[in-house]
Amino acid sequence: QVQLVESGGGLVQAGDSLRLSCVASGRTFSSYFMGWFRQAPGKEREFVAAISLSGIKTRYTDSVKGRVTISRDNAKNTIYLQMNNLKPEDTAVYYCAAKPAPSIVVPITGYDYWGQGTQVTVSS
């Protein structure tokens, strides 16, 4: 089992940048696919980005491609979400999630463990 704690959210203006972090407990962090999801008010939670065990492979939802980068540091049990050129439509609670291997491709569904979320608010 793994426990996840997100941080780094806040209130920013459109065009600004933020970096979210998620620290995982446990000694098997490198055996989990990791992902970021978000949920805006009145909407369902949606996939944002995911990363492979080694960090080599990544996947992104179309609306954030080119603006967002997911990365991981297995030595620190941490993943990051660097978000640039933020837009008001990026406003949401952002959740970190973990899914144990194996999987042939980086998964965008079926995550088993979730953090408590961190609020990102982008003003226009």
Side-chain angles (χ1 to χ4, degrees):
Q1 199 168 14
V2 61
Q3 293 182 325
L4 306 170
V5 179
E6 304 96 333
S7 62
L11 172 63
V12 298
Q13 293 186 332
D16 286 350
S17 298
L18 272 179
R19 189 177 80 157
L20 306 182
S21 300
C22 172
V23 179
S25 64
R27 294 178 292 179
T28 59
F29 176 73
S30 60
S31 65
Y32 288 87
F33 289 98
M34 299 297 297
W36 287 98
F37 294 74
R38 66 186 180 186
Q39 187 168 20
K43 296 187 177 181
E44 293 187 353
R45 186 167 58 193
E46 65 172 353
F47 167 78
V48 177
I51 192 165
S52 64
L53 277 60
S54 66
I56 293 176
K57 296 181 180 180
T58 57
R59 294 181 71 178
Y60 298 93
T61 191
D62 287 344
S63 62
V64 306
K65 284 180 180 177
R67 300 188 297 119
V68 166
T69 302
I70 186 172
S71 60
R72 68 189 295 164
D73 185 339
N74 286 343
K76 296 182 178 179
N77 281 16
T78 302
I79 67 167
Y80 305 96
L81 190 71
Q82 177 67 44
M83 301 188 292
N84 300 323
N85 190 24
L86 283 161
K87 303 177 180 181
E89 51 263 42
D90 294 318
T91 294
V93 178
Y94 283 71
Y95 298 91
C96 171
K99 177 179 174 62
S103 176
I104 296 175
V105 298
V106 177
I108 64 172
T109 61
Y111 282 75
D112 301 297
Y113 304 102
W114 296 84
Q116 82 290 346
T118 185
Q119 177 71 48
V120 173
T121 303
V122 185
S123 63
S124 57

